[in-house]
Amino acid sequence: MDKLWNLLTLYDKILIVLLLLGSVFFIVLPLIGLTTEGNNLIDGEIVIQSSGIIQARIPLSDTYGDKALRIEIAGPIGTSIVEAFQGRVRMFEAPEADPEKICEKTGWIDQPGPMIICVPNQISIWIEAAESEFDGVSW
C-alpha cells in the first residue's frame, strides 16, 4: 500500500480525498433528511376519487395534527377507509370483498406522482401539489 501511495502525485491524493468526502456527503445527506425535495408539502391536497367522481379534496395542512384523519369512501364492493396523517395518505382498510387488498399494501404516499388505486372498489387516491414541475401525465 505504501508503494502505491508513493506513486501518486499530490493532485491524485487531493482528488481521492475529495471523492471520498463527496461520496460520504451524498450518502449521509438523504439519511438525515436534508434533501431539496420537500416531503412536507403543506400547500397541496389529497384527492380521493370513487367511480370516476372526486369524492373529497383534503388540504395537506389539515393532516398535521395529533390524530390521523380517517375518511370512509363508499365503492361498488363496499366501504374503504382512507387515512391521512402528517402530510401522508394511505388506504387504511379495504373492503373484505377485495381479495388482494393491494391498495392497503401500497402503504403511505407523501408526494405528488404515486397513486393508490383499489381496482375492485374503483377508488383512486393521489396528492396534488399547489405548484408542480409537471404539467400533465401521458400514458
Side-chain angles (χ1 to χ4, degrees), residues 10-27:
L10 175 64
Y11 296 110
D12 292 335
K13 294 173 185 177
I14 291 172
L15 180 64
I16 290 170
V17 170
L18 289 176
L19 286 173
L20 288 173
L21 288 175
S23 298
V24 169
F25 177 75
F26 286 110
I27 290 171

Side-chain angles (χ1 to χ4, degrees), residues 63-75:
T63 65
Y64 290 93
D66 295 337
K67 290 186 177 181
L69 179 65
R70 291 194 179 157
I71 304 107
E72 291 186 3
I73 303 295

Side-chain angles (χ1 to χ4, degrees), residues 48 50 118:
I48 303 171
S50 176
C118 182

Side-chain angles (χ1 to χ4, degrees), residues 6 13 15 18 32 35 37 47 69 72 74 102 106 110-111 122 133:
N6 290 335
K13 294 173 185 177
L15 180 64
L18 289 176
I32 60 174
T35 59
E37 295 181 18
V47 181
L69 179 65
E72 291 186 3
I102 293 173
T106 301
D110 60 358
Q111 60 189 354
Q122 299 177 5
E133 61 186 74

Side-chain angles (χ1 to χ4, degrees), residues 54-84:
I54 294 180
Q55 300 293 323
R57 287 184 173 272
I58 303 154
L60 284 175
S61 58
D62 291 354
T63 65
Y64 290 93
D66 295 337
K67 290 186 177 181
L69 179 65
R70 291 194 179 157
I71 304 107
E72 291 186 3
I73 303 295
I77 65 168
T79 302
S80 297
I81 300 174
V82 176
E83 182 178 54

